[in-house]
Amino acid sequence: MDARQLKIEAARAALAHVVGGMRLGIGTGSTAEEFVRLLAAKVATGLDVIGVPTSERTASLCRELGVRLTTLDETPELDLTIDGADEIDAELTLVKGGGGALLREKIVAAASARMIVIADRSKLVETLGRFPLPIEVNKFGLRATEIAIGAAAARLGLSGPLTLRMTDGQPFVTDGGHLILDASFGRIPDTRALSAALHAIPGVVEHGFFIGLASAAILAGDDGIETIHAAR
């Protein structure tokens, strides 16, 4: 199967966990969009759910396809979030943010009783860090924040370039009005230590480590679906 078909199969398996009446967090990115398309087809045949989108891009697709939406202010507690990931380790720690929506994705996931991650099996890695870690930062004091991130990483034995994410020749701006620095540190053996160090930097709004949020990961490969459950 090609990459898109694997995403569709993972999304299809996740859809089996959705039942009528659910309040859903709906993720962002190419895999999440396949889930939205499958969800919309079910909604068209009578499935009654309501969703909180994690980005304006996802919200637009949901509206186009007829998926009913709400907000976290209106519906602050969700039953289930389904979202993709850029990397997944065996403990279901994730790297997310390749689509630029990591802050809203994390807020929605944290408001959910469960989070199911959908991906193709190539996203499963032994140690996180092959995919650059997205770090959402405030526009004010960008250079000072960049220096502080580099220093925090160095204290943990990490090094590598921090690259300001660009689109069409301009800095990429998140839905929340922030910028993203993509940190190419390579293998990151202690994600919790780096998470704490980044959160201690005032200019860092959020980072792309999702620690302790995913309940399960549904991974699609050429040989079928594999589901990994979080340790309890």
Side-chain angles (χ1 to χ4, degrees):
M1 287 186 282
D2 63 20
R4 185 184 175 200
Q5 190 59 44
L6 291 174
K7 294 173 183 180
I8 291 171
E9 292 308 313
R12 194 187 317 279
L15 187 60
H17 294 265
V18 177
V19 298
M22 270 190 166
R23 302 158 297 177
L24 290 176
I26 304 175
T28 294
S30 58
T31 308
E33 287 175 4
E34 299 299 349
F35 171 76
V36 172
R37 293 185 181 96
L38 293 172
L39 176 66
K42 284 281 191 180
V43 167
T45 61
L47 178 67
D48 180 25
V49 296
I50 193 164
V52 172
T54 56
S55 67
E56 297 304 320
R57 173 177 159 184
T58 295
S60 177
L61 181 62
C62 287
R63 293 189 190 102
E64 176 187 334
L65 297 179
V67 176
R68 190 162 57 102
L69 297 180
T70 182
T71 68
L72 273 185
D73 289 327
E74 297 167 341
T75 312
E77 295 179 327
L78 305 178
D79 300 300
L80 174 65
T81 284
I82 295 178
D83 203 349
D86 299 302
E87 282 190 329
I88 307 165
D89 72 10
E91 296 179 352
L92 297 193
T93 298
L94 318 173
V95 170
K96 289 180 53 56
L102 63 101
L103 176 60
R104 293 191 183 185
E105 287 174 335
K106 192 173 286 190
I107 292 170
V108 169
S112 302
R114 293 187 296 145
M115 178 188 188
I116 294 177
V117 184
I118 52 176
D120 66 82
R121 193 167 290 138
S122 70
K123 302 297 176 66
L124 183 65
V125 298
E126 183 177 339
T127 304
L128 299 176
R130 180 179 64 193
F131 190 92
L133 176 67
I135 305 171
E136 190 161 340
V137 297
N138 199 287
K139 292 180 180 180
F140 179 81
L142 173 63
R143 181 59 182 147
T145 299
E146 185 178 358
I147 291 170
I149 292 171
R155 289 193 293 272
L156 295 171
L158 301 171
S159 64
L162 294 169
T163 304
L164 180 64
R165 189 176 298 184
M166 306 289 287
T167 181
D168 297 327
Q170 298 294 321
F172 174 86
V173 179
T174 70
D175 287 342
H178 306 123
L179 304 177
I180 290 182
L181 292 170
D182 290 308
S184 298
F185 293 145
R187 297 175 76 255
I188 303 171
D190 192 341
T191 55
R192 291 182 183 274
L194 182 56
S195 171
L198 292 174
H199 278 146
I201 298 170
V204 171
V205 178
E206 191 50 88
H207 58 68
F209 285 136
F210 281 49
I211 301 172
L213 288 171
S215 306
I218 295 175
L219 307 176
D222 287 334
D223 56 350
I225 295 290
E226 175 187 8
T227 301
I228 302 173
H229 295 279
R232 297 299 181 192

